[in-house]
Amino acid sequence: MQLLFGRFAMSLEPDTKSILSWLAKQQDQMVTQLADWAAINTGTANLAGLRQLAELVEAEFTSITDHIDYLAVDPQTEVSSRGEVTERLLAGVLVGRRREKATRQAVLSIHMDTVYPADSPFQTLKLAGNVLHGPGVADAKGGLVVMLYALRALERYVEATGNRQLGWTILLNSDEEIGSLGSRNIFAQYGSDANFGLLFEPCLPSGHLIGQRKGSGNFEIVVRGQAAHAGREFYKGRNAVVAAANVARQLHELNGRWPDTTVNVAKIDGGGPNNVVPDVAVVRFNIRYPSQQHEAELSHDLERIVQDVPEGMVMSLHGGFFAPPKPLNEPYQQLLETVQKCGETIGLDLAWESTGGVCDGNRLAALGVPNVDTMGVQGGNIHSPQEYMLIDSLVPRAQLAFLTLISQVP
Ligand SMILES: [Zn+2]
């Protein structure tokens, strides 16, 4: 939905103008920075790669933060194909702060992980004119570079004007691509006091922002039956795969119960040799929903499905709703309009669209922090080997974030 208001441009102070022109000269450095960071594989499971990137990123932010720390996070719990709950270690979060006693506080965030594992064939960068192809160049290392330069610009502004009333916190996590299962507590701990937030996920290929986002949940239902020899004692068996198929059908039937709520049965694990009645199956599924009020009703439905167990079998529900919906409420809309107005002053025509995709902006919104989450670079084909970003979006997006930040200085 496009919401355009009065096209009056902000009148820019001389300090602001000179910092915008300083930013305009940073494109080459920004590209070099991006190329260095994108060359390191940081698939969510690549803990060594993520640690290496975090050290390089920390070095760049040290001079503009009062302190920056690398915090460990809780491991992620996973359900194996045999229905066992296991733990997987996750890389940590860089938390940096500047002027934490200032009257107004911003939280800025983006993830360092990508969807490309260490053994992915998609590892190298390719430059073709204005287009840079490579893993994570748009989602979201380009955004990380934009954030760094916007904050460098803000600190120049603070030096020039002496106005120290805006403080900020950066949260750079390593597990966003799997739903920030480990870092969510750090968002609650360091993000919830902020007055507003900016996240640097890529904007849409058109340059537009994302407004409303659905919520999301990932679940597993483990079905346990009884193994038996298919020839000798078939009737002693309790077939977990058949029960799992029935669960899958019931889950699929939840589609259409509410408008815009979807249940995607993604995978069923289970079974083995043809002569064995299978004793374990795991149904894996994702739910997307537009409104918080659906969460309780959906939970109730899942409980009902799990309790409807065939005789001699056991079912258990794992997982949960990991990202609450991000509705377009009043403070959020105001912040989007502010970003839009800041865009107008540098010639960006910004509108916003809604999506079913989720990000850490959902989490911050649920903590009561209005935030615009697509302040990153212009690019596309994210989560695919065709991922690209547009080099000439680096400077304008850093200028946009800088102007938005100073528009919030008391
Ligand atoms: Zn992302």
Side-chain angles (χ1 to χ4, degrees):
M1 187 192 304
Q2 187 163 4
L3 291 165
L4 289 172
F5 286 78
R7 300 195 147 266
F8 51 91
M10 218 187 248
S11 61
L12 299 175
E13 306 161 40
D15 288 331
T16 307
K17 277 190 186 158
S18 77
I19 293 166
L20 286 175
S21 23
W22 172 78
L23 272 176
K25 289 182 235 129
Q26 304 307 307
Q27 181 176 291
D28 290 351
Q29 284 89 327
M30 293 175 91
V31 173
T32 307
Q33 185 74 84
L34 174 54
D36 287 350
W37 287 349
I40 301 167
N41 176 279
T42 57
T44 312
N46 184 355
L47 304 189
L50 280 159
R51 192 70 192 95
Q52 190 192 347
L53 177 64
E55 277 167 21
L56 296 181
V57 171
E58 183 174 347
E60 295 301 324
F61 278 98
T62 299
S63 65
I64 53 167
T65 44
D66 296 327
H67 53 91
I68 182 163
D69 303 296
Y70 185 77
L71 306 182
V73 301
D74 294 335
Q76 177 200 3
T77 54
E78 283 182 323
V79 177
S80 75
S81 59
R82 290 288 302 160
E84 282 123 15
V85 178
T86 57
E87 286 194 338
R88 168 175 152 187
L89 292 178
L90 296 170
V93 186
L94 272 176
V95 180
R97 308 194 90 174
R98 183 75 158 180
R99 294 181 296 279
E100 57 192 275
K101 301 266 186 287
T103 50
R104 195 156 169 83
Q105 291 291 329
V107 59
L108 295 94
S109 176
I110 194 55
H111 55 96
M112 297 186 284
D113 62 324
T114 70
V115 294
Y116 312 102
D119 60 359
S120 160
F122 185 42
Q123 303 285 357
T124 46
L125 298 164
K126 243 191 314 187
L127 182 64
N130 185 37
V131 181
L132 180 65
H133 282 272
V137 290
D139 185 18
K141 288 169 184 171
L144 189 53
V145 174
V146 167
M147 177 203 274
L148 172 64
Y149 278 80
L151 286 172
R152 283 181 174 162
L154 174 65
E155 291 311 306
R156 283 176 172 251
Y157 177 86
V158 171
E159 279 315 305
T161 61
N163 184 331
R164 294 171 198 281
Q165 296 195 73
L166 178 68
W168 49 266
T169 299
I170 52 167
L171 302 175
L172 309 177
N173 56 344
S174 305
D175 59 347
E176 193 273 345
E177 294 292 3
I178 55 161
S180 303
L181 299 169
S183 59
R184 67 172 84 183
N185 295 337
I186 290 175
F187 278 88
Q189 196 178 342
Y190 292 94
S192 56
D193 290 339
N195 300 97
F196 69 99
L198 298 179
L199 285 86
F200 293 80
E201 292 289 347
C203 60
L204 294 167
S206 61
H208 288 177
L209 306 169
I210 288 174
Q212 197 166 330
R213 288 180 184 270
K214 286 186 184 180
S216 183
N218 281 329
F219 297 86
E220 300 86 20
I221 291 178
V222 177
V223 184
R224 289 188 189 280
Q226 178 65 51
H229 189 291
R232 290 184 180 207
E233 297 183 311
F234 176 74
Y235 293 102
K236 282 194 177 171
R238 294 286 176 272
N239 193 316
V241 167
V242 172
N246 186 39
V247 164
R249 185 187 50 77
Q250 291 182 69
L251 289 168
H252 186 66
E253 282 170 1
L254 296 177
N255 283 299
R257 202 170 149 180
W258 301 280
D260 294 329
T261 295
T262 57
V263 180
N264 181 49
V265 177
K267 193 178 183 196
I268 301 180
D269 294 318
N274 270 359
N275 61 354
V276 179
V277 176
D279 62 342
V280 185
V282 182
V283 185
R284 301 175 192 273
F285 57 103
N286 174 262
I287 300 183
R288 307 267 165 161
Y289 56 109
S291 155
Q292 190 74 35
Q293 74 197 51
H294 293 151
E295 216 176 278
E297 289 163 306
L298 285 161
S299 299
H300 189 77
D301 280 329
L302 299 184
E303 284 304 324
R304 176 177 54 76
I305 291 170
V306 168
Q307 275 158 24
D308 179 23
V309 200
E311 202 197 318
M313 304 188 87
V314 180
M315 286 204 247
S316 54
L317 176 67
H318 303 265
F321 296 105
F322 66 90
K326 187 181 179 194
L328 203 56
N329 58 19
E330 185 63 34
Y332 181 22
Q333 177 130 357
Q334 273 176 15
L335 188 61
L336 277 166
E337 284 165 16
T338 301
V339 174
Q340 187 176 50
K341 239 178 265 173
C342 292
E344 279 174 30
T345 65
I346 50 167
L348 297 176
D349 188 6
L350 301 174
W352 49 89
E353 300 168 20
S354 58
T355 174
V358 302
C359 75
D360 286 322
N362 290 61
R363 256 166 288 285
L364 280 171
L367 292 165
V369 181
N371 66 86
V372 174
D373 55 35
T374 34
M375 301 296 289
V377 292
Q378 209 170 336
N381 298 337
I382 61 171
H383 295 198
S384 88
Q386 283 77 43
E387 179 171 353
Y388 71 90
M389 60 78 63
L390 301 181
I391 284 180
D392 65 2
S393 69
L394 283 163
V395 166
R397 292 282 152 173
Q399 291 175 326
L400 177 67
F402 164 65
L403 287 174
T404 305
L405 285 166
I406 64 169
S407 78
Q408 301 295 306
V409 174

